[in-house]
Amino acid sequence: MNRFQVRKVAVLGAGVMGAQIAAHLVNVRVPVVLFDLPAKEGPKSGIAIKAIEGLKKLKPSPLGVADEAAQIQAANYEEHLDLLKGCDLVIEAIAERMDWKLDLYRKIAPFVAPQAIVASNTSGLSITKLGEALPEAIKPRFCGIHFFNPPRYMALVELIATPTTQPEILDQLETFVTTALGKSVVRAKDTPNFVANRVGIAGMMATMIEAEKFGLSFDVVDDLTGKKMGRASSGTFRTADVVGLDTMAHVVKTMQDNLKSDPFYATYQTPAVLAKLIEQGALGQKTGAGFYKKAGKDILRLDPAKGEYVASGAKAEAIVERMLKKAPAERLKLLRESTHPQAQFVWAILRDSFHYCAVHLAEIADGARDVDFAMRWGFGSQQGPFELWQAAGWKQVAGWIAEDIAAGKTLSSAPLPAWVTDGRDGVHTAEGSWSASQNKYLPLSNLPVYARQAFRENVLGSGAAKALDTGTEEFRNDEIRVWSADGEVLIASITAKLHLISPAVTEGLLKAVEIAEAKYQGLVIWSPDDVFSAGANLESLLPVFMKLGAKGIKPEEKKLQDAMLRIRYAQVPVVAALRGLALGGGCELAVHCARRVAHMESYIGLVEVGVGLIPGGGGLAYAARRAAEMASAAGASADLFAFLKEPFTSAATARVGTSALEARKLGYLIDGDVIVPHKDELLHVATAQVQAMAATGYRPPPKALFPVAGRNAIATIKGQLANLRDGGFASAHDFHIATLIAEVVCGGDVDAGSLVTEEYLMALERDRFCALLEHPKTQERIMGMLQTGKPVRN
């Protein structure tokens, strides 16, 4: 298969989805042109220009860095259709109107490049019907591409072929969407609402029906159907508000219009409460009211019986919450046999989900794995419906469903398909996942792009190897595993909760460097989940502090700092593979590595002020050294103090880069570090970086003296801090902590330009870190964080 090169992408439609798809494209450095209709007044591309500006204001931000909005080229259909000739991918994302889309296709067809793929981002319209408006030459290169909202954060992209789509076109697009955009692909059949919305929206409708049947309020339902069930924290009704009630109603209408012979058709009728809210213009979060409404700091919920908003916050009953914590088999048995209405409700919606997915599997998806992946990646479920059913005991649960169907308790009288009760123990096996349409087990896709995912995401029952149970183990303690997958590159995986750095982790990292230098090309610090390291484990040092006070902590702090320097000056390259949280000590560990490979959604920063401390693992020494290096590169006349302002402010305000792009802007990632769009390619890329560095004769950086800004810079910062304190913008303790940070990054009481070592700055860090440990205000902050998980402002 020839490599599909995407030099530029055109996005047609600057609405909510189109603009955010364009934003994500520039996040991953893909040039993009955003088209919309010509404006009636002002610049002809004014609609697209306004949409691009609007991206900077959205929360959560669709842009990794707000300034990147300028990289999106605004265009209109009247003046700029020629630009399509330079685009290798055209994504149509206009409103869900078949007639509008078909008119647009006729307009763009003469300008589409001969090699370009054309794809429609529709949430449920027939891709086959859409493709019929295209010339014969384009039809083989046309398909559906369904991003989930918001496109930057949601993993799922559904790809949908038409009968005329060339198979290699879908392969090329899946490869690009996976590795370049960082998305997880499910191939869906061209049926109404495809896979995720078909199952997800049907599930939401069923939940609304069952909630009314059991007399449960919206807030109780959301508490039950959120994290307690391993789903997105927003639950059901709050999710509908976030999505937009009009959007949800549109998806439901697609089902009403196109699924009249569906045995679950009765459940697709728009609930009266939803219809009334839409009629009143209460469309959810975007209009300020829906199932919920914000009133000042309070969140109110609609009481349908009263027709007014009332106080919310009701939770699941404790007895039901305990049931939901049990293992799957016991959990479902308890829920089904309970007489508690909340328990009966939860069993009912789970049973409805299993029943619906079984009946529709052959129609909507190639296999059961696709349904489970779609619900994980598109709706935030920890497990898909088939996974949960199988984990709870396939035969037992199938029997319960059949009994409920016979008793008339289910939403449809449709029987379970014959394959469900043919003696199997589930749909996911080591051989593959069950395809009801093909009557066989299908393995995972073998597209070459997936060779980049060393420990690829899979489903329960597949028998897929877990990363931390594989490879050759070199060292292990309770909080870290040091191992190799290939015999060439060593891996250190922190296994402690939140991967907090404790003395045991420090011991393991030092051991890993020692082993890597003796036997391997280099070392990658990587763990197979969404945390690199959330910081130092303060709780692990409490016994020492209680016995010896701050003087007992100082030697432990020096061990941590020495470990950071050991990593920095290792004789083999050490690469940090960052994903998710890299905070405090985790950030310090990353910046002392030879290189960083970071997933796009990495959150990196020095946050110690939140617990009344300063960074103590070399983070401030790194900031001072890095500022000196940047000043030196800028020329002899460069002002060192100018390069210290941003790192000082970031540390003093606990500012976190909310993307790898922003972390680069803050200096936690630097030129030469690599940003990876797909989380599951992180280890592959980090390993390749180690191998490339080793192959080119890697040597650690030479130890060198560097200049610091000195006492005058400290005085300048203190003056600015005093203004903040006196103006009521910072507490006295905040002023004290920030002053100590300034003292370290500026090198203490020395002349400007004095040459120092990293060890000297780390000694300053230690002294001030330990002094703060003795401060009662800092102790209040630490205890508050340990007890509540929230920062204390004092």
Side-chain angles (χ1 to χ4, degrees):
M1 183 174 68
N2 293 330
R3 180 167 175 256
F4 175 53
Q5 294 185 329
V6 179
R7 293 161 295 181
K8 185 178 287 187
V9 175
V11 176
L12 311 181
V16 173
M17 283 300 291
Q20 292 198 55
I21 291 169
H24 187 62
L25 286 162
V26 297
N27 285 340
V28 294
R29 297 295 186 264
V30 177
V32 60
V33 186
L34 180 62
F35 282 84
D36 211 295
L37 295 166
K40 294 177 180 177
E41 297 178 358
K44 279 285 180 69
S45 298
I47 296 174
I49 291 169
K50 184 178 179 181
I52 293 167
E53 282 300 305
L55 291 169
K56 301 176 185 178
K57 303 170 188 174
L58 291 178
K59 297 294 179 184
S61 176
L63 294 157
V65 176
D67 295 348
E68 294 294 307
Q71 300 302 314
I72 304 173
Q73 183 179 354
N76 66 82
Y77 303 126
E78 185 177 302
E79 298 177 309
H80 301 123
L81 286 177
D82 267 349
L83 292 174
L84 292 174
K85 295 176 181 177
C87 296
D88 300 298
L89 174 61
V90 179
I91 299 174
E92 170 271 304
I94 68 170
E96 294 283 280
R97 283 273 301 268
M98 179 73 74
D99 53 342
W100 291 359
K101 289 178 185 283
L102 296 180
D103 284 345
L104 180 59
Y105 292 175
R106 295 184 188 101
K107 183 182 294 185
I108 67 167
F111 300 92
V112 173
Q115 80 286 352
I117 294 175
V118 179
S120 174
N121 179 68
T122 175
S123 61
L125 295 179
S126 169
I127 302 301
T128 300
K129 287 183 180 177
L130 288 172
E132 289 170 358
L134 290 166
E136 292 301 317
I138 297 179
K139 285 182 180 179
R141 294 179 279 117
F142 176 74
C143 64
I145 182 170
H146 181 208
F147 287 86
F148 274 64
N149 190 25
R152 172 184 163 186
Y153 301 96
M154 296 303 292
L156 180 62
V157 168
E158 293 175 316
L159 297 182
I160 310 98
T162 74
T164 57
T165 306
Q166 288 181 353
E168 71 171 20
I169 291 297
L170 232 57
D171 289 349
Q172 290 171 343
L173 191 55
E174 181 167 349
T175 297
F176 171 74
V177 166
T178 300
T179 202
L181 303 190
K183 297 302 170 189
S184 299
V185 171
V186 164
R187 293 202 186 184
K189 295 187 177 183
D190 191 10
T191 56
N193 296 333
F194 312 127
V195 179
N197 273 345
R198 178 72 175 272
V199 174
I201 297 299
M204 291 177 74
M205 299 298 284
T207 298
M208 292 179 183
I209 292 169
E210 301 288 6
E212 185 176 3
K213 183 190 299 181
F214 289 101
L216 304 184
S217 61
F218 301 149
D219 47 0
V220 168
V221 170
D222 282 349
D223 190 52
L224 283 166
T225 60
K227 286 187 176 180
K228 289 182 174 66
M229 283 181 64
R231 299 179 177 180
S233 59
S234 50
T236 301
F237 293 99
R238 199 176 299 279
T239 295
D241 273 357
V242 171
V243 169
L245 303 191
D246 54 339
T247 302
M248 181 178 174
H250 175 82
V251 176
V252 171
K253 189 172 188 309
T254 300
M255 299 164 89
Q256 293 169 354
D257 293 345
N258 296 283
L259 296 171
K260 289 184 168 57
S261 61
D262 189 318
F264 286 78
Y265 183 75
T267 67
Y268 303 153
Q269 304 315 301
T270 306
V273 63
L274 177 61
K276 188 172 182 180
L277 285 168
I278 293 171
E279 182 184 337
Q280 294 171 345
L283 305 180
Q285 187 170 283
K286 60 188 172 186
T287 60
F291 290 110
Y292 294 90
K293 181 171 94 171
K294 193 169 183 180
K297 294 184 178 180
D298 297 325
I299 302 293
L300 306 179
R301 67 164 175 86
L302 180 67
D303 183 331
K306 295 180 179 178
E308 60 186 47
Y309 289 91
V310 300
S312 70
K315 302 288 186 182
E317 294 282 354
I319 187 172
V320 179
E321 189 172 355
R322 287 195 294 273
M323 292 180 195
L324 293 174
K325 292 178 180 178
K326 301 293 185 181
E330 184 181 2
R331 183 193 321 159
L332 267 61
K333 185 175 189 295
L334 288 170
L335 290 167
R336 185 171 188 268
E337 294 176 354
S338 173
T339 57
H340 196 293
Q342 291 183 12
Q344 292 177 333
F345 161 77
V346 175
W347 160 249
I349 62 173
L350 290 173
R351 175 205 63 212
D352 295 342
S353 172
F354 301 153
H355 187 195
Y356 188 91
C357 290
V359 168
H360 291 94
L361 177 59
E363 173 194 353
I364 65 174
D366 285 338
R369 184 193 303 108
D370 294 324
V371 172
D372 284 344
F373 277 168
M375 297 312 294
R376 277 204 221 164
W377 299 333
F379 278 79
S381 298
Q382 290 179 4
Q383 281 186 314
F386 285 120
E387 289 182 286
L388 176 56
W389 182 351
Q390 184 165 329
W394 183 268
K395 293 175 183 175
Q396 177 68 80
V397 174
W400 289 339
I401 298 170
E403 288 176 19
D404 281 8
I405 295 171
K409 295 180 179 179
T410 53
L411 298 179
S412 167
S413 60
L416 289 170
W419 59 263
V420 172
T421 54
D422 63 2
R424 70 179 62 241
D425 291 316
V427 288
H428 302 310
T429 69
E431 181 185 351
S433 290
W434 181 250
S435 171
S437 59
Q438 299 180 46
N439 201 36
K440 64 180 182 179
Y441 290 97
L442 299 180
L444 281 165
S445 167
N446 62 356
L447 276 181
V449 67
Y450 294 115
R452 296 170 60 88
Q453 298 181 10
F455 297 98
R456 190 173 167 190
E457 194 166 346
N458 214 317
V459 287
L460 179 81
S462 66
K466 294 182 179 179
L468 297 183
D469 294 333
T470 64
T472 301
E473 190 170 292
E474 295 279 7
F475 174 82
R476 187 175 202 140
N477 63 29
D478 289 342
E479 299 188 11
I480 194 167
R481 182 186 190 230
V482 179
W483 59 290
S484 178
D486 61 6
E488 296 183 357
V489 175
L490 193 63
I491 303 167
S493 298
I494 304 173
T495 58
K497 182 180 179 181
L498 292 176
H499 303 172
L500 296 175
I501 300 172
S502 66
V505 171
T506 303
E507 174 201 14
L509 290 171
L510 289 171
K511 190 71 176 175
V513 172
E514 178 187 327
I515 295 168
E517 287 179 335
K519 300 171 60 176
Y520 291 88
Q521 293 181 13
L523 171 66
V524 172
I525 303 174
W526 169 85
S527 298
D529 55 27
D530 284 324
V531 179
F532 177 72
S533 171
N537 189 339
L538 296 176
E539 202 166 1
S540 70
L541 296 175
L542 271 180
V544 176
F545 181 74
M546 297 300 290
K547 183 178 181 180
L548 300 172
K551 67 179 181 181
I553 299 297
K554 189 172 281 191
E556 296 299 326
E557 197 67 13
K558 186 173 188 307
K559 287 178 186 176
L560 176 62
Q561 292 175 333
D562 288 346
M564 298 298 180
L565 292 178
R566 179 74 176 91
I567 288 167
R568 172 167 163 74
Y569 294 107
Q571 295 301 306
V572 292
V574 181
V575 172
L578 302 163
R579 172 178 162 193
L581 302 179
L583 304 177
C587 175
E588 291 171 313
L589 174 58
V591 298
H592 282 89
C593 291
R595 186 164 295 171
R596 286 138 296 279
V597 174
H599 177 231
M600 171 71 187
E601 296 305 321
S602 296
Y603 301 85
I604 308 173
L606 299 171
V607 296
E608 285 82 355
V609 297
V611 288
L613 293 169
I614 67 169
L620 299 182
Y622 163 80
R625 173 176 59 77
R626 181 70 186 142
E629 290 169 351
M630 293 173 70
S632 175
S637 61
D639 178 12
L640 172 57
F641 184 61
F643 292 94
L644 275 175
K645 289 179 182 177
E646 183 130 12
F648 163 76
T649 303
S650 295
T653 59
R655 184 177 176 188
V656 174
T658 54
S659 70
L661 297 175
E662 189 176 8
R664 176 171 277 160
K665 190 175 180 181
L666 296 178
Y668 299 128
L669 300 180
I670 62 176
D671 292 343
D673 291 340
V674 181
I675 296 175
V676 178
H678 201 294
K679 61 182 176 58
D680 291 340
E681 295 187 358
L682 198 59
L683 180 59
H684 170 85
V685 176
T687 299
Q689 290 290 311
V690 165
Q691 292 172 327
M693 294 165 77
T696 51
Y698 175 80
R699 291 289 182 272
K703 287 198 173 188
L705 299 170
F706 52 88
V708 289
R711 64 176 70 88
N712 290 342
I714 297 171
T716 300
I717 293 174
K718 283 183 71 173
Q720 296 168 348
L721 292 172
N723 290 334
L724 292 173
R725 179 198 60 199
D726 296 344
F729 297 103
S731 70
H733 196 49
D734 289 329
F735 171 83
H736 177 56
I737 297 168
T739 298
L740 297 184
I741 292 173
E743 290 176 1
V744 178
V745 297
C746 294
D749 188 17
V750 297
D751 294 334
S754 295
L755 299 178
V756 302
T757 64
E758 289 164 297
E759 288 86 352
Y760 166 80
L761 290 174
M762 286 183 173
L764 293 182
E765 269 188 3
R766 276 198 310 280
D767 288 342
R768 284 147 182 81
F769 181 92
C770 291
L772 278 170
L773 282 174
E774 302 279 15
H775 200 293
K777 293 285 187 183
T778 285
Q779 292 174 7
E780 283 178 20
R781 292 192 183 187
I782 292 173
M783 293 310 297
M785 180 63 76
L786 291 176
Q787 290 169 1
T788 69
K790 298 178 181 178
V792 174
R793 306 313 308 170
N794 56 7

